């Protein structure tokens, strides 16, 4: 993009209102945010509107109302009827499944956005970018002939070579293994230090949030429900989405059964939601830390799967206050951990090592006991 | 063997001209059909498909009326050139273009529609105009459909009979195509001559289709083109 179009202070600011009337559900985006140069992470469950938000910034989706600007440059303004076309926005966008041009070589893909430049300049800039992202040896290959990680690099290079004023990345590393991921993140971070532009980075992955996060926006149902540094957002996980971000695999609705100020604990009864609304109490009681709450008040309990111990005989002589009998439902190996699901009135997820699985001889149907410390039960509002 | 090379050459010329015109007008029309969000688009699609189901005589009849000296179009053409469009090669071309239109436009539109919309979005975010996106992304990824459309239009024009009979008549060197010639020879009980022309047309059409299908063998590979991270 020509230098004169590039605002001096390129902060992305957006006020986005967009409704999607559909037969099944009414969904709307209602978002105000600004993103300074550097990484801004968009985190949230699927269907929370992250991709639509990126589409609005890129101009692929049109807002009902609101404004989008980069520095002083207005990309969209509903009141002023300003709507700069996608092609003229100068926004780099790496779509979720990359959308590399399958009939063009790696080099041609990267040169695609430079067609307005003289041939020699175009070649030079594309070559430099291929080198920066360590894909110059692939320049004659087509997307189908290279690996997933290489394709990610091509997609990034293709978007960045145009020198965009904002970069949108929609789960760019979702399909990659950890090692490839961290190498690409390094390259991206290095690039970002040289070109300070706002980068909106959508991800489901907690690791990516923590690795990249200068700032996190947590989205749920088209709204931003929390924002700040990853540390700030994670320190007080008050909402369920944030709790998932903080790594609570087990999140249950509960009501306070009794308060024991003398012991510094409470008893909470786990409740399950009924199909037609309302809740029923289960037989499961958890001892949790004491908070300011009265008996009967609703709250939510989050327990990390890694904080749960598993025993195959009834354990005794423990300091942990919650020992819950149940039946093992399933085991699933993920990388080097084993995720087990245990039915103890409700289903809980616990993480074990491979060695623990083998030593304990775990298999579906086996009777087990879950051991949970009082302070491993994190309470949230609802 | 008495082969009417004049009729054969004329038929090929007609088919080539019609295919070229259909390529030129079929691309924008198919693009509009594939990408327009106009709510009444289905009316246009139905109109384009009409020649598939209509008897050629119906199309030929209306063309004859429309091109004749009593219609405004026919009069305008006559004032311009001094003769009517009916019973001329140009009239034949116009009739054949309409008659073969769906055979070109439908494969074009189908292949345009099957181009992943995300590629179009990516192209736009990289600064490409819709026209550039069309020529750099949509067309290259639609080549099999374009070839199919042009070949179908060509073959369909080679073999047409009813429309030619209605608006072209049977003027040697101008409107007497192979199928008309065969019909004529059969009417005159010249079965040997009819057979010679029929065999020639059969061999030629088979050869053209063979070449096209042989070239098409590459398509399954192209259909598995990868655009994303799936590995």
């Amino acid at each position: 993009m020509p230098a004169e179009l590039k605002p001096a202070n390129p902060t992305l600011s957006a006020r986005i209102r967009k409704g999607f009337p559909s037969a099944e559900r009414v969904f709307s985006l209602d978002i105000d945010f600004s993103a300074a140069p550097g990484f801004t992470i968009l985190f949230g469950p699927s269907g929370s509107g992250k991709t639509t938000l990126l589409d609005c910034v890129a101009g692929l989706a049109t807002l009902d109302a609101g404004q989008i600007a980069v520095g002083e440059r207005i990309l969209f303004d509903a009141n002023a009827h300003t709507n700069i076309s996608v092609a003229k926005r100068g926004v780099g966008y790496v779509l979720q499944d990359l959308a590399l041009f399958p009939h063009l070589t790696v080099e041609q893909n990267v040169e695609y956005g430079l067609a307005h430049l003289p041939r020699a300049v175009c070649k030079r800039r594309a070559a430099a970018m291929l080198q920066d992202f360590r894909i110059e040896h692939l320049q004659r290959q087509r997307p189908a002939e290279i690996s997933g990680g290489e394709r990610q690099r091509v997609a990034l290079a293709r978007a960045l070579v145009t020198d965009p004023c904002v970069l949108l990345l929609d789960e760019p590393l979702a399909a990659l293994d950890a090692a490839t991921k961290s190498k690409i993140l390094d390259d991206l971070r290095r690039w970002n230090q040289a070109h300070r532009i706002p980068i909106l980075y959508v991800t489901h992955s907690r690791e990516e949030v923590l690795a990249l996060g200068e700032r996190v926006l947590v989205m749920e149902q088209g709204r931003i429900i929390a924002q700040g540094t990853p540390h700030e957002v994670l320190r007080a996980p008050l909402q369920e989405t944030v709790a998932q971000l903080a790594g609570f695999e087990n999140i249950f609705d509960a009501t306070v059964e009794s308060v024991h100020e003398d012991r510094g604990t409470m008893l909470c009864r786990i409740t399950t939601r009924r199909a037609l609304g309302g809740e029923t109490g289960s037989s499961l009681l958890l001892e949790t830390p004491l908070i300011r709450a009265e008996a009967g008040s609703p709250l939510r309990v989050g327990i990390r799967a890694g904080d749960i111990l598993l025993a195959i005989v009834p354990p005794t002589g423990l300091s942990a206050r919650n020992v819950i009998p149940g039946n093992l439902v399933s085991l699933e190996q993920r990388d080097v951990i084993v995720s087990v699901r245990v039915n103890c009135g409700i289903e809980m997820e616990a993480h074990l090592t491979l060695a623990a699985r083998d030593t304990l001889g775990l298999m579906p149907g086996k009777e087990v006991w879950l051991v949970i410390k009082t302070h491993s039960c994190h309470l949230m509002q609802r | 063997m008495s082969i009417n090379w004049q009729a054969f050459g004329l038929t090929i010329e007609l088919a080539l001209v019609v295919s070229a015109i259909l390529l030129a007008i079929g691309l924008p029309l198919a693009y509009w059909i594939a990408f327009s969000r106009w709510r009444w688009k289905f009316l246009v699609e139905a109109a384009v498909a009409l020649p598939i189901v209509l008897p050629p005589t119906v199309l030929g009849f209306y063309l004859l009326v429309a091109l004749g000296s009593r219609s405004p179009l026919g009069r305008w053409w006559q004032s311009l050139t001094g003769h009517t469009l009916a019973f001329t090669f140009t009239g034949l071309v116009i009739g054949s273009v309409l008659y073969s239109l769906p055979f070109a436009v439908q494969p074009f539109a189908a292949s345009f529609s099957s181009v992943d919309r995300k590629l179009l979005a990516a192209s736009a975010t990289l600064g490409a105009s819709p026209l550039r996106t069309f020529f750099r992304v949509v067309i290259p990824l639609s080549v099999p459909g374009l070839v199919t459309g042009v070949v179908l239009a060509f073959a369909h024009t080679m073999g047409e009979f009813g429309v030619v009979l209605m608006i072209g008549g049977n003027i040697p060197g101008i409107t007497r195509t192979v199928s008309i010639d065969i019909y004529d020879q059969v009417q005159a009980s010249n079965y040997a001559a009819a057979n010679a022309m029929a065999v020639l047309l059969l061999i030629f059409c088979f050869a053209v289709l063979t070449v096209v299908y042989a070239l098409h063998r590459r398509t399954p590979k192209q259909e598995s083109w990868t655009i994303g991270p799936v590995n």
Side-chain angles (χ1 to χ4, degrees):
Chain A
M1 132 183 293
E4 66 269 19
L5 279 180
K6 198 151 190 178
N9 175 25
T11 287
L12 170 70
S13 54
R15 203 174 70 243
I16 294 173
R17 305 281 179 277
K18 184 171 175 61
F20 297 87
S22 81
E24 305 96 56
R25 61 182 196 140
V26 180
F27 178 77
S28 69
L29 267 188
D30 185 349
I31 279 175
D32 289 312
F33 75 96
S34 63
F39 286 94
T40 299
I41 312 285
L42 290 175
F43 181 89
S46 6
S48 60
K50 305 180 301 282
T51 298
T52 311
L53 172 61
L54 296 194
D55 284 350
C56 287
V57 175
L60 296 170
T62 310
L63 322 191
D64 298 339
Q67 198 201 46
I68 298 171
V70 181
E72 299 291 303
R73 183 162 165 253
I74 310 283
L75 299 180
F76 180 91
D77 189 328
N79 294 331
H81 299 287
T82 306
N83 186 5
I84 295 184
S85 74
V86 183
K88 298 208 166 72
R89 287 196 180 194
V91 170
Y93 191 176
V94 176
L95 290 104
Q96 192 159 14
D97 42 19
L98 305 185
L100 294 177
F101 301 121
H103 57 299
L104 301 181
T105 63
V106 165
E107 186 181 30
Q108 289 168 327
N109 264 282
V110 174
E111 287 171 2
Y112 191 90
L114 300 174
H116 57 287
L117 297 173
R119 189 104 190 100
V121 181
C122 164
K123 285 273 173 207
R124 198 175 62 234
R125 274 176 58 177
M129 189 54 76
L130 288 169
Q131 202 168 8
D132 277 1
F133 277 82
R134 294 182 252 167
I135 43 177
E136 68 269 35
H137 58 290
L138 305 169
Q139 54 178 319
R140 306 252 171 266
Q141 316 255 41
R142 284 180 212 282
E145 299 160 353
I146 62 180
S147 75
E150 289 163 344
R151 268 180 234 144
Q152 299 284 355
R153 291 171 181 278
V154 176
L156 282 169
R158 183 180 69 171
L160 293 177
V161 77
T162 61
D163 204 3
C165 60
V166 172
L167 180 62
L168 310 173
L169 303 174
D170 196 352
E171 299 197 39
L173 308 177
L176 302 179
D177 61 87
T180 313
K181 216 185 238 190
S182 74
K183 274 192 218 134
I184 296 182
L185 281 180
D186 282 346
D187 287 344
L188 197 53
R189 255 197 237 102
R190 202 159 31 77
W191 184 87
N192 181 236
Q193 270 151 19
H195 307 73
R196 297 292 292 174
I197 60 167
I199 301 177
L200 289 186
Y201 188 107
V202 167
T203 182
H204 272 120
S205 146
R206 199 161 63 238
E207 291 76 33
E208 284 172 40
V209 172
L210 295 168
L212 283 174
E214 298 169 22
R215 195 146 163 276
V216 189
L217 304 177
V218 183
M219 285 182 68
E220 198 173 274
Q221 296 186 341
R223 311 279 184 281
I224 292 174
I225 56 165
Q227 54 182 305
T229 64
H231 198 66
E232 284 164 1
V233 170
L234 295 181
R235 195 162 47 196
L238 296 178
Q239 290 91 359
E240 191 169 335
T241 308
V242 182
Q244 277 160 4
L245 171 58
F248 293 110
E249 289 83 357
N250 298 292
I251 297 166
F252 307 109
D253 291 341
T255 53
V256 177
E257 182 88 359
S258 56
V259 178
H260 305 279
E261 289 184 8
D262 50 330
R263 287 190 259 156
T265 63
M266 306 191 299
L267 278 178
C268 293
R269 185 174 293 282
I270 304 299
T271 59
T272 48
R273 279 177 214 177
R274 280 195 301 246
L276 296 170
E279 303 178 349
T280 39
S282 70
S283 58
L284 189 59
L285 279 172
L286 281 178
E287 192 171 308
T288 70
L290 184 66
I291 58 166
R292 291 173 65 88
E294 290 167 11
S297 49
L299 40 74
R300 200 165 268 152
V301 184
I303 305 165
R304 293 196 176 91
D307 286 351
I308 300 179
L309 299 183
L310 209 78
I312 50 170
V313 290
T316 53
L318 295 171
S319 66
R321 302 287 298 165
N322 296 298
V323 175
I324 306 162
N327 279 303
L328 215 156
V329 178
S330 63
L331 295 108
E332 187 195 336
Q333 184 173 342
R334 289 191 213 135
D335 235 346
V336 293
I337 61 164
V338 179
S339 162
V340 299
R341 302 195 71 84
V342 175
N343 182 3
C344 44
I346 47 164
E347 260 191 28
M348 285 211 198
E349 182 179 345
H351 289 172
L352 312 173
T353 58
L354 300 178
R357 176 192 60 186
D358 299 340
T359 314
L360 298 182
L362 296 177
M363 59 186 67
K366 194 169 176 78
E367 196 177 15
V368 292
W369 282 262
L370 300 179
V371 181
I372 305 166
K373 289 172 64 167
T374 301
H375 284 279
S376 293
C377 299
H378 297 264
L379 299 177
M380 296 165 252
Q381 70 189 19
R382 67 169 161 125
Chain B
M1 287 252 276
S2 59
I3 288 177
N4 186 344
W5 287 109
Q6 188 187 45
F8 186 69
L10 178 79
T11 308
I12 289 183
E13 186 187 347
L14 177 69
L16 284 175
V17 170
V18 167
S19 307
I21 293 176
L22 280 175
L23 187 62
I25 62 174
L27 289 183
L29 181 58
Y31 182 81
W32 183 83
I33 287 175
F35 296 109
S36 165
R37 291 189 195 151
W38 192 46
R39 57 188 296 210
W40 302 107
K41 185 171 84 174
F42 65 91
L43 291 175
V44 178
E45 291 180 280
V48 168
L50 263 184
I52 295 177
V53 292
L54 274 186
T57 44
V58 172
L59 188 68
F61 171 69
Y62 282 116
L63 275 169
L64 191 61
V65 172
L67 302 180
S69 55
R70 292 203 190 146
S71 83
L73 179 69
R75 272 205 302 279
W76 172 78
W77 182 262
Q78 205 164 7
S79 72
L80 220 62
T81 63
H83 57 82
T84 61
L85 267 171
F87 311 113
T88 65
F89 185 74
T90 312
L92 213 54
V93 167
I94 294 174
S96 304
V97 163
L98 287 174
Y99 184 50
S100 296
L101 188 67
F103 293 86
V105 170
Q106 289 188 345
F108 292 177
S111 57
F112 290 170
S113 301
S114 68
V115 173
D116 193 322
R117 299 290 162 119
K118 293 209 163 162
L119 295 176
L120 309 185
S123 176
T125 64
L126 291 166
S129 65
L131 199 66
R132 180 169 146 77
T133 303
F134 181 65
F135 284 112
R136 289 275 284 158
V137 179
V138 178
I139 292 271
L141 291 176
S142 303
V143 167
L146 299 186
V147 172
T148 305
V150 169
V151 169
L152 280 178
F154 181 85
H156 193 237
T157 309
M158 283 291 294
E160 80 175 54
F161 176 70
V163 175
V164 182
L165 192 66
M166 292 296 279
I167 62 172
N170 183 9
I171 308 167
I174 297 173
T175 62
R176 186 184 177 113
T177 61
V178 171
S179 58
I180 300 280
D181 187 66
I182 293 171
Y183 176 74
D184 228 39
Q185 301 290 1
V186 171
Q187 290 291 300
S189 298
N190 294 333
Y191 292 125
N195 185 36
M197 288 306 278
V199 167
L200 182 65
L201 192 61
L202 185 71
I203 291 173
F204 181 80
C205 288
F206 182 71
V208 169
L209 293 176
T210 304
V211 168
V212 169
Y213 280 104
L215 291 175
H216 255 288
R217 275 184 311 186
R218 287 192 302 128
T219 40
K221 201 170 103 198
Q222 287 173 339
E223 274 161 10
S224 69
W225 266 345
T226 314
I227 65 167
V230 184
N231 220 3

